[in-house]
Amino acid sequence: MGISKQDIQRVKLMGFLHNRGTEKFNCRVITGNGTLSAEQLQAVGRIAEKYGDGKCMFTTRMTVEFSGVPYDSIDAVVKELADVGLTTGGTGARVRPVTACKGTTCVFGFYDTQALGQKIHDRFYVGMGSVRLPHKFKIAVGGCPNNCIKPDLNDFGIVGQRPPKFKEELCRGCKVCQIEKNCRMSCCTVEDGKMKRNSEVCNNCGFCIDKCPFKAVFAEESAYKLYIGGRWGRITRHGTPLPGLYTEEQTLDMIEKSILLFRDWGKKGERFAAMIDRIGEEKVIEELLHGNLMERREQILAKEI
């Protein structure tokens, strides 16, 4: 083969993955949480046909790949994608492309998942794109507890929540309680003439909101449940839930703290999940909630892994 291992590794970091047994590459195109404009989608198709074999594939990280790109065409592909505002990448031991569900338009979505996903993309995928980590770091944004995007199987997962509020004085203890009838988690029951909610079972799905004809149950503002250390593949681990619920600003800061902690305590080649299991969930959560990671940010980013 005329292409060196060094060249293969160099273009891999650019988002061009070697097609085994050939001298051609897959081009990985970064999308906005799985979203492309019609112009961009058409451009990707044209470029895939012009420089590759005309086949486009969607990855689990919501990027688009097209195959069959010759090594000598890589620079031209990068330029033509840039002309329509697209970049390549999404590989290596760093923050990977952010995935977000369609909660922005979904009937079950509690908030604008695409907007939050874009903020995360800008701050961490782009803003910390040059930061080397012990291993890849995946972030997923989910709009509600249906978990379609599987946030708790990512290194950092976000699940939209709609916590119900209960005004006991408005409850009439109806014989057929509409909250109990509509609760999908079976955590609401009428006891001694009043509705009771088991907060340990409730997943804040919000389906009970506005079901009470006497307005005894209503909605708070949407919030976020956060998970750390999830992964799938040969080894699967459900993410560890962080205690409580978080605002958007707190969520963004907690992502940064998690990345800093991973860089500070992780070993080269170790996933965030493995690091948490090695150190212990309690110690990791304590450091995230009460440590001084943000104050040590520059020191952590400057250290060798």
Side-chain angles (χ1 to χ4, degrees):
M1 178 178 293
I3 306 171
S4 69
K5 290 183 178 179
Q6 290 78 11
D7 283 335
I8 290 174
Q9 181 61 29
R10 179 182 68 84
V11 298
K12 178 181 179 180
L13 295 175
M14 294 169 57
F16 289 84
L17 309 176
H18 183 228
N19 296 168
R20 184 173 57 186
T22 75
E23 295 192 4
K24 296 185 177 181
F25 295 80
N26 274 19
C27 172
R28 182 172 292 177
V29 183
I30 305 304
T31 67
N33 307 300
T35 301
L36 294 170
S37 69
E39 178 189 8
Q40 289 172 330
L41 190 60
Q42 291 168 350
V44 169
R46 288 196 303 270
I47 296 168
E49 191 169 43
K50 181 177 179 181
Y51 295 103
D53 57 18
K55 296 178 181 177
C56 297
M57 300 146 279
F58 290 85
T59 73
T60 59
R61 301 309 299 173
M62 295 185 174
T63 61
V64 181
E65 287 188 13
F66 55 87
S67 52
V69 178
Y71 179 83
D72 293 339
S73 297
I74 287 177
D75 289 342
V77 169
V78 171
K79 181 183 182 304
E80 291 196 24
L81 287 171
D83 289 342
V84 290
L86 293 173
T87 60
T88 61
T91 62
R94 60 189 75 186
V95 176
R96 291 294 184 88
V98 180
T99 60
C101 74
K102 302 304 177 185
T104 302
T105 55
C106 177
V107 294
F108 297 110
F110 296 152
Y111 66 99
D112 190 343
T113 52
Q114 293 293 307
L116 179 58
Q118 189 63 49
K119 289 180 182 179
I120 295 171
H121 173 90
D122 293 341
R123 179 166 167 177
F124 301 110
Y125 178 77
V126 177
M128 299 183 74
S130 61
V131 175
R132 300 292 291 176
L133 299 173
H135 210 302
K136 58 191 172 186
F137 192 90
K138 299 178 177 179
I139 305 169
V141 181
C144 75
N146 285 340
N147 288 344
C148 298
I149 204 74
K150 302 177 180 62
D152 57 349
L153 292 178
N154 283 255
D155 296 282
F156 195 99
I158 302 165
V159 179
Q161 306 273 280
R162 199 180 183 198
K165 292 285 285 184
F166 177 53
K167 283 189 177 181
E168 186 174 350
E169 64 273 18
L170 297 181
C171 177
R172 301 191 182 185
C174 300
K175 185 175 182 180
V176 179
C177 173
Q178 293 302 310
I179 303 301
E180 181 178 6
K181 180 180 178 181
N182 285 280
C183 178
R184 294 184 170 185
M185 299 300 293
S186 300
C187 64
C188 295
T189 57
V190 176
E191 300 176 14
D192 301 323
K194 292 291 182 180
M195 195 275 290
K196 304 292 182 183
R197 180 173 68 96
N198 186 337
S199 59
E200 293 184 3
V201 176
C202 179
N203 68 351
N204 298 316
C205 72
F207 200 73
C208 64
I209 304 301
D210 298 329
K211 294 297 191 297
C212 175
F214 306 105
K215 311 299 181 184
V217 176
F218 59 98
E220 286 186 328
E221 292 184 1
S222 295
Y224 306 96
K225 183 71 177 175
L226 307 181
Y227 293 85
I228 57 170
R231 65 178 297 183
W232 73 86
R234 289 189 300 272
I235 300 173
T236 302
R237 182 187 192 275
H238 281 275
T240 300
L242 296 180
L245 300 178
Y246 297 80
T247 65
E248 180 180 292
E249 182 178 358
Q250 291 170 334
T251 296
L252 293 170
D253 285 345
M254 193 58 71
I255 295 172
E256 182 154 357
K257 289 179 182 180
S258 297
I259 294 171
L260 292 172
L261 183 64
F262 186 32
R263 198 176 198 283
D264 195 27
W265 290 2
K267 297 179 180 180
K268 186 175 181 179
E270 178 181 53
R271 288 294 299 271
F272 192 38
M275 188 205 84
I276 292 172
D277 288 338
R278 173 172 58 83
I279 293 170
E281 291 180 343
E282 290 185 6
K283 186 173 181 179
V284 168
I285 292 174
E286 175 66 21
E287 184 67 16
L288 289 174
L289 296 182
H290 306 295
N292 62 347
L293 290 161
M294 298 296 264
E295 290 81 356
R296 296 190 298 113
R297 184 181 191 277
E298 297 307 315
Q299 175 190 342
I300 293 172
L301 294 180
K303 70 177 290 187
E304 293 289 334
I305 296 176

